[in-house]
Amino acid sequence: KVKIERNDIIEKIIFIMIDHEKYLVASNLEILKAIEKLNNLKHKVLFILDFSGKLMGSITDGDIRRWIIKSNK
């Protein structure tokens, strides 16, 4: 188990808050586009917004990798 220091988490949250726009995507974004976008981000997370701009959830590169592995079984 990897121990994450509290300061590391706070630093990541602050970084995303400052430059948050590039971490936001529409709920209808194609999965390949999401993967491309994740690949270009420092922190591998996207926040999914509905048509009104309300937060629906988040997705990480790990979520996508696990989905691919599960889908191929």
Side-chain angles (χ1 to χ4, degrees), residues 4 19 48 62:
I4 299 175
D19 201 17
I48 304 163

Side-chain angles (χ1 to χ4, degrees), residues 9 12-29 34 37-38 41-51 53-61 63-64:
I9 294 170
K12 288 178 182 180
I13 291 170
I14 290 170
F15 179 85
I16 291 171
M17 288 174 63
I18 291 170
D19 201 17
H20 72 279
E21 288 293 322
K22 63 185 176 183
Y23 292 88
L24 303 177
V25 296
S27 60
N28 63 349
L29 183 68
K37 190 163 181 121
L38 280 168
L41 293 172
K42 179 177 179 180
H43 302 288
K44 306 300 184 189
V45 61
L46 293 173
F47 297 98
I48 304 163
L49 305 178
D50 70 7
F51 66 94
K54 183 178 176 184
L55 179 66
M56 295 177 65
S58 64
I59 190 165
T60 67
D61 68 334
D63 294 332
I64 293 172

Side-chain angles (χ1 to χ4, degrees), residues 3-15:
K3 183 177 180 183
I4 299 175
E5 296 295 325
R6 184 171 184 265
N7 289 341
D8 292 341
I9 294 170
I10 291 171
E11 180 181 317
K12 288 178 182 180
I13 291 170
I14 290 170
F15 179 85

